[in-house]
Amino acid sequence: MTSPALSYPEGSAAFPHESLVGIGGLAPHEILFLLDEAEQWVELNRHPQKHDDRLTGLTIINAFFENSTRTLLSFEIAGKRLGADVVNMHVAQSSIKKGETLIDTAMTLNAMHADAIVIRHGSSGAVQLIADKVDCPVLNAGDGQHEHPTQALLDALTIRHALRNKTGGSFNGLTVTLCGDILHSRVARSNILCLTSLGAHVRICAPPALIPADIEAMQAEVFHDFDAALDGADVVMMLRLQLERMQGQFIPSAREYRHLFGLTAERLARARPDALVMHPGPMNRGVEIDSDVADLADRSHITRQVEMGVAIRMACLDVLTRKVRRVEGWT
Ligand code: ASP
């Protein structure tokens, strides 16, 4: 794979941010830097001995105020593979249930001298609020409808790996179709920002009620006809209906939704013959994606996304803690 590593600015100038709150605000070369940093971890994770001790002695707190399976486990594995002490804060048993404010929780975590804090929260902006209050790097593991930056990075890494023979690792000219509940999806938001920044053409497809009002500001092409959105696509990314974030009726029924916006084998035939099928999970099989498509051995990259997720999170934890570890050039 072609790596633009040599063209990066020196040391911390390659990634000058204290925290990773979103893809918005990252330059394309900073995104590529994180993808390139993750490659070594993709390699390591495929070996039986997958341990590196560069974060030994560091404490990472995973504070998840919203449910998670993949992301929490992935961050935990990432921190442990790099040798850190990883602690998961269980919100159900914490003082948040007793009415503690987010700021008080942030101050408490800060007082424990964490070296990095990974946060998932149901409110957009909550992660930035905490990042402004604590002394260590903060990594956004999903905040409300705002952003899920490591998901977008792992998706980009998955695409780059799967299509490298065709594209040489470039995103220029790729057509990526995102279909589903764009309105409530932080994954969609981060992916639109990430993929357009890297040069891909992004199509989004959803019923009008599930398209965000500010979509004009993003460089995505809007479709309401899924067949048209799929035409010639290189990548098809399906998104779950975020029922927990919906207040009111956004779709007539799951059956009707599947009929118009579900990815079936017949529909997939409209995309390029080698188009990748992706989904961030959790999937609602039989709603936004049919099982036979989700399980297509040669086309579905859904489990590959999970694999890339660990590598991306290792890269983010490594890069963001370089300053505290006094890595040369990271001041
Ligand atoms: N796991 C992703 C998220 O946390 C996608 C989803 O929940 O549908 O946003």
Side-chain angles (χ1 to χ4, degrees):
M1 182 175 305
T2 48
S3 167
L6 290 178
S7 63
Y8 296 135
E10 295 269 303
S12 57
F15 196 84
H17 308 276
E18 297 276 327
S19 291
L20 179 66
V21 177
I23 299 293
L26 298 189
H29 77 264
E30 293 166 0
I31 297 173
L32 288 172
F33 176 69
L34 292 176
L35 300 191
D36 286 346
E37 283 288 324
E39 295 293 353
Q40 63 189 305
W41 307 123
V42 175
E43 285 298 310
L44 182 84
N45 290 340
R46 289 178 179 173
H47 284 95
Q49 298 296 330
K50 343 167 172 26
H51 198 75
D52 184 282
D53 58 7
R54 68 186 62 193
L55 301 197
T56 300
L58 266 53
T59 302
I60 298 172
I61 301 180
N62 290 326
F64 277 54
F65 299 84
E66 244 191 10
N67 292 342
S68 169
T69 309
R70 262 160 292 268
T71 309
L72 177 59
L73 209 54
S74 182
F75 267 112
E76 184 172 356
I77 290 172
K80 286 183 171 163
R81 287 206 180 143
L82 292 174
D85 296 318
V86 182
V87 187
N88 295 334
M89 189 180 110
H90 298 288
V91 171
Q93 293 137 32
S94 75
S95 293
I96 286 105
K97 292 274 167 205
K98 300 181 187 167
E100 182 172 270
T101 68
L102 191 56
I103 306 274
D104 284 335
T105 307
M107 299 316 286
T108 305
L109 297 179
N110 200 43
M112 289 176 184
H113 296 292
D115 298 292
I117 303 178
V118 181
I119 299 169
R120 167 166 289 193
H121 199 282
S123 301
S124 307
V127 176
Q128 183 65 61
L129 194 77
I130 295 182
D132 291 341
K133 293 281 166 206
V134 300
D135 302 318
C136 67
V138 169
L139 292 90
N140 184 356
D143 64 327
Q145 300 170 206
H146 175 231
E147 280 231 39
H148 193 349
T150 56
Q151 178 72 46
L153 292 168
L154 75 87
D155 288 338
L157 190 63
T158 305
I159 294 171
R160 192 167 83 164
H161 265 247
L163 297 181
R164 71 180 137 197
N165 290 338
K166 181 164 128 181
T167 61
S170 164
F171 290 82
N172 280 328
L174 282 181
T175 298
V176 182
T177 299
L178 269 77
C179 179
D181 182 357
I182 310 290
L183 176 66
H184 300 102
S185 173
R186 53 199 178 201
V187 174
R189 204 177 171 75
S190 290
N191 260 305
I192 295 169
L193 291 166
C194 183
L195 292 165
T196 54
S197 163
L198 295 178
H201 176 67
V202 177
R203 297 174 179 167
I204 58 164
C205 179
L210 293 177
I211 299 279
D214 64 347
I215 196 68
E216 299 297 324
M218 305 183 97
Q219 292 162 29
E221 192 183 354
V222 179
F223 289 75
H224 303 302
D225 174 350
F226 193 19
D227 289 339
L230 284 169
D231 197 19
D234 297 286
V235 180
V236 184
M237 209 181 277
M238 300 306 296
L239 301 167
R240 181 178 70 90
L241 287 169
Q242 310 258 312
L243 296 173
E244 73 278 23
R245 295 190 215 287
M246 290 186 192
Q247 277 153 5
Q249 187 88 3
F250 281 80
I251 54 158
S253 68
R255 199 158 163 263
E256 179 84 351
Y257 180 84
R258 177 193 173 270
H259 180 61
L260 294 172
F261 297 100
L263 188 61
T264 60
E266 304 80 71
R267 278 226 167 90
L268 181 61
R270 294 190 168 260
R272 291 179 69 95
D274 57 351
L276 315 180
V277 173
M278 298 173 66
H279 193 304
M283 278 187 278
N284 284 322
R285 290 171 180 260
V287 182
E288 74 271 9
I289 188 164
D290 277 8
S291 269
D292 55 349
V293 178
D295 299 333
L296 278 174
D298 52 338
R299 307 282 294 279
S300 172
H301 289 258
I302 297 168
T303 51
R304 190 48 59 86
Q305 288 170 268
V306 178
E307 181 193 6
M308 296 299 147
V310 177
I312 277 292
R313 287 162 183 137
M314 290 170 83
C316 293
L317 289 171
D318 170 25
V319 168
L320 287 170
T321 57
R322 284 184 189 174
K323 194 169 160 186
V324 69
R325 290 185 286 126
R326 299 199 167 85
V327 172
E328 210 189 318
W330 292 74
T331 47

